[in-house]
Amino acid sequence: MTLQDDVQAILDRGVAAGDVVGAVARVVTGDGLLAAAAAGERSADAQAGAGPMTLDTVCWIASMTKAVTGTAAMQLVERGELHLDEPASSVLPNLAGAGVLEGFDDGGRPVVRPARAPITLRHLLTHTSGFGYDTWSELLLRYQQAAGTVSMTSGELVATTTMPALFDPGEGWMYGISIDIVGRMVEEVSGRRLDDYFDEHILGPLGMASTAFGLRDDMRPRLSAMHARQPDGSLAAIELARSPEPKYPSGGGGLYSTSEDYSRFLQMILGRGSRDGVEILRPETVDLMTVNHIGDLRVGALTAVRRELSNDAEFFPGVAKSWGLTFQINEEPLPTGRPAGGLMWAGIANTYFWIDMENQVAGVYISQQLPFADARSYRLHTDIETATYSQLG
C-alpha cells in the first residue's frame, strides 16, 4: 500500500467508527505531495445538505492561525519594525499595566500586582508572557467573572486587553492569548488590519486563496459544520458561537482554511521561508523560529476548566517539549517516528499539524469537533503521522 492508501484507510476507518463525522488530511514534502485524503460528511445533520467532506472543504483552523501570525511578526522583525527583546508596551502601551494576578481578597476582588519585568515579543511568541486562556485556568475564569469581562475565547477581548498575567514574564510557560496580542502588534506597526496584512504578505504570495478571517462567498458552500462529542460518544452538529465576520481579526485563532492551503504554509516552513521561489521569510529567520527559545522551561499539560471546549491536553506525555517562535518542539524522538526537533501545534476544533525539518516532511489533519484533544480524532492524526514514517522507512 502507498501512503495515499494508508491515509485514506485511516480516515475511512475513523468515520466508520464514529471517531469523526468527516476529516481531511494531507502529507507533503517541501515541493511535493505524498498523500491527500478526505472522508465522511461535512455535517452530521442530514437535513443540512452540506455534502461530503472533500479536499477543498473549508474549516475553522483556530490556533493553527498562531503560526501564521508569528510569521507576520517575524517579517516585521526582519524589517527592523518589531524587536524580539524590546518591551511590547512600546507598541501597545496598555501592556505596561497588565500586572500579575496573585489571587483574590476576602471580598472576592482580584489582587493584581505590577509585573517585575516588561513583556517582550519573544515572551509573547513563546507563551512565556504569563497570559493564559480561561479554558485551562480556574484563576482567569474567576477573574473574568469578578471583573465582568468577556471570555477570552470570543476573540474580542485582546483588542484592548488589560487582562492580568498569571506569572512574571519569562518565569513559566502558559498557553494563552499571547499571539492575539502579537496580531495587534502587527496591526499597530504595519498600519494595516491583520487580514489585509496577511493577504498582501503571506496568503496572497503563497496562493492560499481559501484562507481568511471571514467567510467569503466562495468559501461558504464548502464550509464544514462544527460538532460536539455527546455523552454517549456520538457526534452532533452544533452552532459555532463565533462570528463569521469578526470585528477584530484574531491572530490567535481566527482563520478559516483548507488542508491544501495550510499545506502551502507548511511547505514554506520546510523550504526555510520559501515556496515555489516565493520568499516569505529569510532562511535564517525560519532557522530562528524552529529552535527552543524557552531555555530549561518545558511545555506542560493543559488541565481543562471549560470542559465543553477542551479535554485535558498534552501531546506525547512524558516527552520533553520546548517552544520555538510559535511552534511546540519535541526534544526527544516520538513513538510516531518523528525525530527530536520536530514541530507541531493544533486548533481547538481538533485540527493538528506537524513539521519535520530533518526529513523534509509535514502533515496536516483537520476535523471539526469539540471538545479539544478528543482522543478518537487525535488518534487519527497520530496514525497518519506513524504511517508516514513507516512509508519513509
Side-chain angles (χ1 to χ4, degrees):
M1 290 176 65
T2 65
L3 181 60
Q4 173 68 37
D5 294 331
D6 286 343
V7 174
Q8 187 66 63
I10 289 166
L11 295 186
D12 288 341
R13 184 181 72 237
V15 170
D19 300 333
V20 291
V21 173
V24 60
R26 202 171 185 94
V27 183
V28 295
T29 63
D31 58 3
L33 174 67
L34 297 180
E41 300 294 320
R42 289 180 182 154
S43 177
D45 181 1
Q47 304 303 313
M53 201 77 161
T54 54
L55 296 177
D56 66 347
T57 293
V58 172
C59 299
W60 179 41
I61 61 169
S63 287
M64 281 169 41
T65 305
K66 287 178 168 66
V68 185
T69 304
T71 295
M74 293 307 293
Q75 288 179 332
L76 295 172
V77 169
E78 287 181 345
R79 297 175 203 150
E81 297 176 45
L82 283 175
H83 305 276
L84 285 171
D85 296 311
E86 289 186 1
S89 59
S90 66
V91 177
L92 298 177
N94 61 313
L95 287 177
V100 176
L101 178 64
E102 290 203 315
F104 299 84
D105 64 19
D106 292 340
R109 292 177 293 272
V111 177
V112 179
R113 64 164 172 81
R116 297 188 181 102
I119 295 166
T120 66
L121 176 59
R122 192 188 305 271
H123 291 140
L124 293 166
L125 290 173
T126 57
H127 296 289
T128 58
S129 64
F131 291 123
Y133 276 131
D134 61 1
T135 306
W136 299 284
S137 172
E138 186 71 48
L139 270 178
L140 286 178
L141 191 60
R142 186 177 172 190
Y143 174 87
Q144 287 175 194
Q145 292 164 349
T149 60
V150 297
S151 170
M152 291 180 226
T153 57
S154 73
E156 304 287 308
L157 177 71
V158 296
T160 56
T161 184
T162 51
M163 183 64 62
L166 295 172
F167 50 80
D168 287 294
E171 293 193 359
W173 181 90
M174 169 60 78
Y175 189 58
I177 61 171
S178 291
I179 310 301
D180 273 301
I181 296 170
V182 172
R184 285 287 300 114
M185 293 176 71
V186 170
E187 290 186 321
E188 194 69 24
V189 167
S190 69
R192 308 282 299 280
R193 268 180 58 110
L194 198 60
D195 46 5
D196 292 335
Y197 183 93
F198 276 16
D199 286 345
E200 180 176 350
H201 296 283
I202 302 172
L203 306 181
L206 288 175
M208 296 172 66
S210 292
T211 302
F213 284 105
L215 288 168
R216 297 191 305 268
D217 289 343
D218 63 303
M219 295 166 67
R220 288 179 187 276
R222 295 179 282 138
L223 180 67
S224 170
M226 187 59 62
H227 300 88
R229 182 75 70 190
Q230 303 300 299
D232 65 358
S234 66
L235 288 161
I238 59 171
E239 287 294 322
L240 184 59
R242 64 185 310 272
S243 170
E245 301 296 336
K247 183 177 179 182
Y248 302 107
S250 166
L255 285 178
Y256 293 87
S257 190
T258 66
S259 62
E260 180 180 5
D261 268 20
Y262 206 77
S263 292
R264 290 171 176 262
F265 177 77
L266 300 181
Q267 287 177 313
M268 180 274 292
I269 298 294
L270 286 175
R272 296 177 68 221
S274 296
R275 182 187 184 278
D276 285 350
V278 176
E279 184 177 89
I280 302 298
L281 292 167
R282 298 171 189 161
E284 59 269 24
T285 301
V286 175
D287 294 345
L288 183 67
M289 294 173 70
T290 55
V291 295
N292 177 19
H293 282 262
I294 64 172
D296 294 332
L297 295 175
R298 288 294 176 261
V299 174
L302 299 172
T303 302
V305 174
R306 300 184 63 189
R307 290 196 168 270
E308 76 280 10
L309 294 177
S310 179
N311 297 300
D312 292 347
E314 182 180 8
F315 304 120
F316 305 104
V319 173
K321 297 171 288 287
S322 66
W323 206 268
L325 301 179
T326 70
F327 302 108
Q328 178 179 281
I329 303 171
N330 53 288
E331 294 291 331
E332 307 165 33
L334 298 181
T336 58
R338 192 196 318 165
L343 315 171
M344 75 163 293
W345 201 235
I348 201 168
N350 287 279
T351 68
Y352 304 92
F353 72 88
W354 95 91
I355 305 171
D356 176 353
M357 301 296 283
E358 178 182 328
N359 291 297
Q360 281 291 287
V361 65
V364 58
Y365 163 85
I366 298 175
S367 60
Q368 292 284 270
Q369 59 196 63
L370 297 170
F372 178 57
D374 180 88
R376 295 167 65 177
S377 182
Y378 175 63
R379 177 60 184 269
L380 301 181
H381 164 70
T382 57
D383 283 353
I384 290 168
E385 187 175 325
T386 301
T388 299
Y389 287 104
S390 178
Q391 289 282 355
L392 292 176

